[in-house]
Amino acid sequence: MLELAEAVMRLKENFRKQKLTEVIPLSKSYGRVAAFDIPSPINVPNFSKSAMDGYALFAEDTMAAKQEKPIKLSVIASVYAGDDPSSINAARNTCVRITTGAKIPQGYNAVIKQENTTNNDSK
């Protein structure tokens, strides 16, 4: 097995950065590599969405949390992908159950992944 440094050296020896570029129609670009990044002029999606299942919350509410001394937040709602969370009023020491791809309710500034929480809801 190759050491990492040896593998990187071999790659650099066999693959050189392409310096020549050409302008071609988009219809002819299949299988080609862009010579530079092409940023989007718009945000896609055009809202803040959750990248994971978890809880939307205020990051500031979790700063004192430790494994041996967890914090407790009240779950006030659930938001699923495609839901409109505009009726949710974000408040300190609360959180919202959220699924991957769901719109983060206005006011919350973080999502903690489900695996890093314990739900003690007795309902």
Side-chain angles (χ1 to χ4, degrees):
M1 180 182 277
L2 292 177
E3 293 293 323
L4 177 61
E6 173 75 13
V8 170
M9 185 182 74
R10 285 188 186 184
L11 284 170
K12 285 182 178 180
E13 287 173 355
N14 292 299
F15 296 96
R16 290 178 176 62
K17 185 174 182 180
Q18 181 60 259
K19 293 180 182 175
L20 299 175
T21 63
E22 62 183 323
V23 176
I24 60 172
L26 184 61
S27 62
K28 304 278 187 200
S29 66
Y30 181 78
R32 307 287 291 262
V33 176
F36 53 88
D37 292 338
I38 305 170
S40 173
I42 59 171
N43 290 327
V44 179
N46 62 352
F47 60 88
S48 295
K49 75 174 188 172
S50 179
M52 65 198 95
D53 290 348
Y55 295 87
L57 47 77
F58 288 95
E60 300 82 0
D61 291 342
T62 66
M63 295 302 178
K66 294 189 178 357
Q67 180 106 18
E68 59 279 356
K69 188 178 177 194
I71 56 135
K72 293 184 180 183
L73 302 175
S74 298
V75 179
I76 61 170
S78 293
V79 179
Y80 301 94
D83 286 356
D84 176 11
S86 61
S87 64
I88 297 172
N89 295 317
R92 298 299 299 264
N93 299 306
T94 67
C95 62
V96 171
R97 175 80 181 98
I98 194 163
T99 61
T100 304
K103 187 174 185 178
I104 298 172
Q106 186 72 31
Y108 291 111
N109 61 9
V111 174
I112 188 166
K113 64 182 174 178
Q114 180 176 307
E115 295 83 356
N116 291 344
T117 68
T118 302
N119 187 340
N120 291 330
D121 190 4
S122 59
K123 293 178 188 174

